[in-house]
Amino acid sequence: MGRLTGQTVLITGAGRGLGDGVARGLAGHGATIIAVSRTTSELDSLAATVRDAGGTIETFPVDIGHASAIDELLQTVISRYGGVDTLINNAAILRNTSFSDISADEFDETIEVNLLAPVRLIRGVLPGMRRKGRGSIINVSSRAGVYPFAGETDYCAAKYGLEGFSFSLALELQSENISVNVVTPGFSIKPTSVTIAEFEKWDPERRARYRDPIDMADGFAFLALQDGSGITGQRFNAYELSEKVRNVGWDWNQQV
């Protein structure tokens, strides 16, 4: 506990699913959480949970599918915090719609949120990381970043692009002491498209198929501690990484 005390972590898609669990977990490690999501009610619920547990969080209801909204968000965050130590690009759209049925606007929106928004957010936080002399960028992908799936042409296009971008960026930023890593969930969590309110209406047996994503937070905390001199340009299963951190220890990378 307290490993991230003094660090500011910005998480997109923090209102539900993986983002919610990681936000709760990193707050428990002492980080100041900047939680971004489109759904105000879910952000309010997350904030109440974090604060009740003694954590620090500020929420921003923002649609990162719009470049102007990202600019406004970053202006506010930088003015209040001077920048961020870790950026977690987690927000995503997954429609499961065939290419024949998906509209051009829907396809473009997926690319905007899943690929271009992370690029824009990274551009915005890099100056602050450079001033601090370190930083960590964590981009959330999925199996769709390396395998094709029918009905996910837009999603796969974005995730394939995000992974290629991430690994190339890691090479460029290593000399500036900034790490860039890719993470995929390691077990079934509530689908991002399902709201918390909708999830709670499911029968207990169906809900039991999904685990609390807070179990993956230790892996994210470990990567938040990395910089260009540590682990960078890698792809991790978040749950397996978390288990390794819990079982081997937080400095296992120094032992390799």
Side-chain angles (χ1 to χ4, degrees):
M1 306 303 287
R3 294 180 182 276
L4 298 181
T5 298
Q7 286 208 25
T8 301
V9 180
L10 191 159
I11 307 174
T12 65
R16 63 179 74 160
L18 181 63
D20 172 273
V22 170
R24 286 183 283 124
L26 298 195
H29 282 294
T32 295
I33 302 298
I34 300 170
V36 180
S37 176
R38 290 191 296 186
T39 309
T40 301
S41 60
E42 293 180 348
L43 287 175
D44 290 344
S45 176
L46 169 64
T49 299
V50 168
R51 290 170 183 150
D52 286 348
T56 303
I57 186 172
E58 184 170 6
T59 61
F60 292 88
V62 174
D63 183 353
I64 62 170
H66 301 281
S68 59
I70 290 176
D71 290 342
E72 292 178 14
L73 167 68
L74 292 176
Q75 287 175 9
T76 302
V77 169
I78 291 170
S79 68
R80 294 181 186 177
Y81 298 94
V84 301
D85 297 285
T86 298
L87 169 65
I88 301 176
N89 285 309
N90 167 68
I93 294 174
L94 174 57
R95 287 191 169 87
N96 287 307
T97 303
S98 72
F99 186 70
S100 297
D101 294 331
I102 192 170
S103 70
D105 287 343
E106 288 173 331
F107 196 103
D108 289 350
E109 184 185 22
T110 300
I111 300 300
E112 284 284 344
V113 172
N114 296 15
L115 177 57
L116 296 183
V119 171
R120 291 172 179 141
L121 284 160
I122 290 169
R123 282 192 185 279
V125 303
L126 273 180
M129 290 181 174
R130 285 169 171 146
R131 286 193 298 271
K132 293 183 179 185
R134 72 163 306 278
S136 174
I137 297 166
I138 305 170
N139 292 327
V140 177
S141 187
S142 74
R143 291 184 66 206
V146 292
Y147 296 107
F149 291 93
E152 297 184 16
T153 53
D154 56 333
Y155 189 74
C156 286
K159 290 301 185 181
Y160 269 71
L162 182 64
E163 294 211 19
F165 166 71
S166 299
F167 300 135
S168 296
L169 187 64
L171 295 175
E172 293 187 15
L173 296 182
Q174 186 171 21
S175 63
E176 299 185 69
N177 205 34
I178 298 169
S179 65
V180 183
N181 289 290
V182 171
V183 169
T184 66
F187 51 71
S188 295
I189 59 175
K190 178 183 69 62
T192 302
S193 59
V194 178
T195 67
I196 293 174
E198 291 169 340
F199 182 73
E200 290 176 348
K201 293 178 181 178
W202 289 2
D203 63 76
E205 183 178 351
R206 187 181 182 190
R207 291 201 307 269
R209 300 173 192 166
Y210 301 92
R211 295 178 57 175
D212 189 336
I214 197 171
D215 289 342
M216 290 183 275
D218 284 342
F220 281 84
F222 177 80
L223 293 179
L225 294 171
Q226 304 303 312
D227 52 34
S229 66
I231 293 175
T232 187
Q234 303 299 310
R235 188 180 197 272
F236 292 98
N237 172 305
Y239 182 67
E240 289 180 357
L241 177 60
S242 296
E243 285 289 275
K244 187 166 187 177
V245 168
R246 287 188 283 264
N247 295 330
V248 178
W250 289 82
D251 61 347
W252 64 266
N253 58 310
Q254 304 300 327
Q255 301 168 11
V256 175

